[in-house]
Amino acid sequence: MSKIVEGLLYSESHEWVKVDGDIAIIGVSDFAQSEMGDITYVDLPAEGDEILKDEDFGALESVKASSELYAPVSGTVEAVNEALEDAPELINEDPYGSWIIKVKMSDPGQLDSLLSAADYAKTTE
């Protein structure tokens, strides 16, 4: 069974969000990385890019598949996890410790549409 971390918010497209003030720290869930298999490449946006809720902002590639990353919230990319460029397998090793981007949210109210850990668990059963 996939690990789900309490206290994070989740999207139906399997991204997680940790809220830190007006910053959303975004990664992919354990369920997502286990479905993909060994991740070989992460396509990251650039700092300063505007992202829109439910639009793709990048992609993960594995030996099995390529999967778009969808923004759980809208905002401006404040930081990207550059370590993933050289070591994309970090997402497989620690999906909740390996964030992908940090976004300054333009509408924190969008967080209300995300799932709690308990609700997300139901979607991955």
Side-chain angles (χ1 to χ4, degrees):
M1 182 164 156
S2 298
K3 180 176 158 195
I4 297 173
V5 175
E6 288 290 332
L8 299 178
L9 297 170
Y10 296 86
S11 67
E12 290 185 14
S13 53
H14 309 292
E15 288 81 16
W16 57 259
V17 177
K18 180 179 179 185
V19 179
D20 182 10
D22 62 352
I23 301 294
I25 304 164
I26 301 168
V28 296
S29 71
D30 186 42
F31 177 84
Q33 71 80 23
S34 64
E35 289 289 299
M36 287 199 68
D38 293 336
I39 294 171
T40 56
Y41 179 73
V42 182
D43 181 21
L44 297 167
E47 285 182 26
D49 281 1
E50 293 290 325
I51 63 170
L52 295 172
K53 179 173 170 49
D54 300 328
E55 300 284 321
D56 65 274
F57 68 84
L60 298 179
E61 292 179 17
S62 73
V63 289
K64 293 199 297 192
S66 177
S67 180
E68 300 294 327
L69 294 165
Y70 293 98
V73 293
S74 298
T76 305
V77 178
E78 294 282 304
V80 296
N81 187 346
E82 293 175 0
L84 298 176
E85 290 177 1
D86 295 325
E89 68 276 4
L90 291 171
I91 291 174
N92 294 118
E93 293 165 9
D94 185 7
Y96 296 108
S98 300
W99 58 276
I100 297 173
I101 59 173
K102 294 182 180 181
V103 174
K104 184 172 174 64
M105 293 181 281
S106 56
D107 180 4
Q110 291 175 333
L111 294 169
D112 295 342
S113 69
L114 298 176
L115 303 169
S116 67
D119 289 337
Y120 180 69
K122 292 175 192 159
T123 71
T124 61
E125 285 174 351

